[in-house]
Amino acid sequence: MRIRAIVRRIIRQMRRDKRTLALIFVAPLVVMTLMYAVFGGSLPEPKIGYVAEATIAEVVEGIHPDWIRYDDQNRAKLAMEDGALDAYLQLTIENMKPLVNVTLEGSDPSMSKETMQSIQEAMQSMVAPLTAKLQEKLPPSPANAKQAAPFVQIAQPELVVDTLYGDKDMSTFDRIGPMLIGVFVFLFVFMISGVSFLRERTYGTLDRLLASPLRRSEIVAGYTIGFGFFALLQTIIITAYATYVLHLQIEGSFWYVLLIALCLALTALSLGTLMSAFAANEFQMFQFIPLIIVPQVFFCGLFPLEAMPEWLQWISVLLPLTYGSDALIDVMIRGKGFEAIAPSIMVLVLFATAFLVLNVWALRKYRSI
């Protein structure tokens, strides 16, 4: 009887805690659905361009009509920098031997591997039709005009591979490292700020501040700056450790990396304090992680978005970690400057501002209760 009484009490308690029930039954389904979308798809066909003379171009168009022909190498390179290509080829023939200079975009090893496989298969299938095409263009034997042209045979193409960003030996950690910096900064600042602000409520400190002449906007600003100081230190430590101790590849400026990480920390800080207004204890605060942090990890670029269904890809636009990861990749792998990351930084600042405004609203609601 006593055991049954304990069981009944726990069941009644759980039935009243709707957030915990959602975490138990709904959150796993959401995470599994995201994993299915991420790992259930396949990478799209690589976008490949090429520069070649008319004879070779005719053969390429017959094998891969989806490849894009460019007039010169500079135009192909600009297209790759704009994200329109995963690779471009410069095709020439010297002494009946095709020479193929391949330039990979290089920032994503998995896509680079897929692209190289597609190029190698195409080059192997190009030998026979290219041989026939050159055979047609050879003049007949001078000894007898009616005699057929001498037979030629094209050798297997020789591939010379280069990368626009990084190098072809870039490790997986170099690829995902920039995004890991963003994930860790966002995750830990979110948890620390949310739990700390929640303690201010549960210990009664926030009630005393709300009863004082301080305005709610001043309270939010004060907490943001106070917690922000420790978020700043944490961000510097994480970024410096990954860069100088783990030797994570960084092509651009370290200060730009730090600026992006700080913007992510500010966004996580304002979001964490906002979410703490809807939690009654620390356990409930941690319940937000599967619903707020986990989806951002899936959509920030750690896993290829192109492999997901199109109806899911738009979710990444609504998540701040997406913009932070894109900016970190632009600086650390692609070596770009401030003009490339400025739009992402502006979006992160807008996210942080929106969360801070909602924080003021949440304090008004909390005080009215």
Side-chain angles (χ1 to χ4, degrees), residues 24-221:
I24 294 174
F25 299 115
V26 178
L29 302 182
V30 173
V31 174
M32 287 181 64
T33 302
L34 291 176
M35 295 184 68
Y36 170 77
V38 170
F39 299 108
S42 59
L43 288 174
E45 287 293 323
K47 301 183 289 290
I48 300 174
Y50 66 97
V51 179
E53 61 181 40
T55 302
I56 303 177
E58 290 179 17
V59 175
V60 174
E61 289 173 2
I63 298 174
H64 268 288
D66 55 321
W67 288 11
I68 306 171
R69 185 184 179 188
Y70 292 90
D71 297 331
D72 56 65
Q73 187 175 353
N74 290 331
R75 294 194 178 188
K77 183 178 179 181
L78 287 174
M80 180 181 290
E81 290 176 349
D82 292 338
L85 295 177
D86 296 307
Y88 68 86
L89 290 66
Q90 192 168 16
L91 303 167
T92 56
I93 294 181
E94 294 183 7
N95 300 324
M96 295 302 170
K97 184 175 183 179
L99 299 179
V100 184
N101 291 308
V102 181
T103 303
L104 300 170
E105 196 269 346
S107 63
D108 186 346
S110 59
M111 179 55 74
S112 296
K113 183 178 179 180
E114 187 82 10
T115 303
M116 278 304 303
Q117 183 176 350
S118 178
I119 291 173
Q120 289 170 349
E121 292 174 355
M123 292 302 103
Q124 291 176 358
S125 59
M126 185 190 297
V127 174
L130 188 56
T131 299
K133 184 66 69 174
L134 292 178
Q135 183 73 34
E136 294 174 1
K137 293 183 176 295
L138 285 177
S141 174
N144 184 355
K146 296 182 179 179
Q147 185 176 347
F151 179 75
V152 297
Q153 177 63 46
I154 298 295
Q156 288 292 330
E158 178 181 343
L159 273 65
V160 179
V161 182
D162 195 7
T163 55
L164 181 62
Y165 303 119
D167 57 71
K168 58 180 179 295
D169 298 322
M170 183 171 63
S171 67
T172 302
F173 182 70
D174 286 328
R175 155 62 182 160
I176 67 175
M179 289 168 285
L180 289 180
I181 290 177
V183 168
F184 288 138
V185 167
F186 199 93
L187 171 62
F188 289 110
V189 172
F190 175 84
M191 290 192 304
I192 292 171
S193 61
V195 171
S196 300
F197 196 77
L198 181 62
R199 286 178 178 174
E200 295 292 292
R201 284 177 45 209
T202 56
Y203 291 169
T205 307
L206 187 58
D207 286 326
R208 292 192 292 271
L209 287 175
L210 288 171
S212 70
L214 286 171
R215 289 179 293 185
R216 289 168 178 81
S217 58
E218 293 175 331
I219 295 175
V220 171

Side-chain angles (χ1 to χ4, degrees), residues 143-325:
N144 184 355
K146 296 182 179 179
Q147 185 176 347
F151 179 75
V152 297
Q153 177 63 46
I154 298 295
Q156 288 292 330
E158 178 181 343
L159 273 65
V160 179
V161 182
D162 195 7
T163 55
L164 181 62
Y165 303 119
D167 57 71
K168 58 180 179 295
D169 298 322
M170 183 171 63
S171 67
T172 302
F173 182 70
D174 286 328
R175 155 62 182 160
I176 67 175
M179 289 168 285
L180 289 180
I181 290 177
V183 168
F184 288 138
V185 167
F186 199 93
L187 171 62
F188 289 110
V189 172
F190 175 84
M191 290 192 304
I192 292 171
S193 61
V195 171
S196 300
F197 196 77
L198 181 62
R199 286 178 178 174
E200 295 292 292
R201 284 177 45 209
T202 56
Y203 291 169
T205 307
L206 187 58
D207 286 326
R208 292 192 292 271
L209 287 175
L210 288 171
S212 70
L214 286 171
R215 289 179 293 185
R216 289 168 178 81
S217 58
E218 293 175 331
I219 295 175
V220 171
Y223 275 110
T224 301
I225 296 173
F227 292 140
F229 173 73
F230 293 97
L232 170 64
L233 293 179
Q234 183 190 52
T235 301
I236 293 174
I237 291 171
I238 291 176
T239 307
Y241 183 82
T243 305
Y244 296 110
V245 179
L246 300 181
H247 303 292
L248 189 63
Q249 174 180 315
I250 175 169
E251 297 292 335
S253 170
F254 170 79
W255 299 107
Y256 288 153
V257 175
L258 187 58
L259 174 63
I260 298 164
L262 288 176
C263 291
L264 272 174
L266 177 61
T267 306
L269 173 63
S270 55
L271 180 58
T273 53
L274 174 63
M275 290 295 101
S276 68
F278 304 97
N281 50 57
E282 294 179 8
F283 176 68
Q284 289 187 356
M285 185 63 205
F286 282 104
Q287 289 177 353
F288 287 118
I289 292 177
L291 300 178
I292 293 179
I293 302 299
V294 172
Q296 299 203 63
V297 173
F298 280 113
F299 287 95
C300 73
L302 277 173
F303 308 99
L305 291 176
E306 296 82 1
M308 301 182 188
E310 291 186 6
W311 62 271
L312 266 180
Q313 294 182 21
W314 66 269
I315 297 178
S316 63
V317 180
L318 307 175
L319 305 176
L321 194 53
T322 300
Y323 300 93
S325 296

Side-chain angles (χ1 to χ4, degrees), residues 253 256 259-260 331 335-346:
S253 170
Y256 288 153
L259 174 63
I260 298 164
V331 174
K336 294 186 177 182
F338 184 78
E339 66 282 353
I341 64 174
S344 296
I345 289 178
M346 290 178 60

